[in-house]
Amino acid sequence: MPKSPPKRGHLGILCNPVSESELPITMFVSTHDMKLVEELFPRTIVMDEGVIVADGKTKDILADEKLLEAHGLEKP
């Protein structure tokens, strides 16, 4: 078992082969790393205290500063 999580670049390499054009899958990722979300995921669901508060295109969600602030997230 690795002692530390993979660097973002390595994670990107692992995720890139699994694109919608190659293999349509759903991945559930829980993170506060909005830069990672912006780089890798076309769709984002934001949950706060177990409730879905936003669901849509990642670029639209990350552009909504009020939404991000209300739920303790920072713009990448």
Side-chain angles (χ1 to χ4, degrees):
M1 178 173 250
K3 293 183 180 180
S4 62
K7 292 186 167 85
R8 183 178 304 162
H10 294 144
L11 189 58
I13 291 169
L14 292 173
C15 292
N16 283 341
V18 186
S19 68
E20 285 186 50
S21 63
E22 294 177 38
L23 180 65
I25 64 167
T26 299
M27 290 191 306
F28 291 91
V29 177
S30 176
T31 184
H32 284 94
D33 185 342
M34 295 297 99
K35 187 68 177 161
L36 176 75
V37 170
E38 179 182 51
E39 291 173 1
L40 296 180
F41 304 107
R43 177 180 173 207
T44 297
I45 297 172
V46 179
M47 296 183 74
D48 194 352
E49 306 228 0
V51 176
I52 294 175
V53 296
D55 180 353
K57 292 182 180 179
T58 298
K59 66 178 184 169
D60 296 338
I61 288 175
L62 294 179
D64 188 339
E65 293 182 27
K66 288 182 182 180
L67 172 77
L68 296 177
E69 185 177 330
H71 300 285
L73 300 170
E74 295 180 4
K75 203 169 179 155

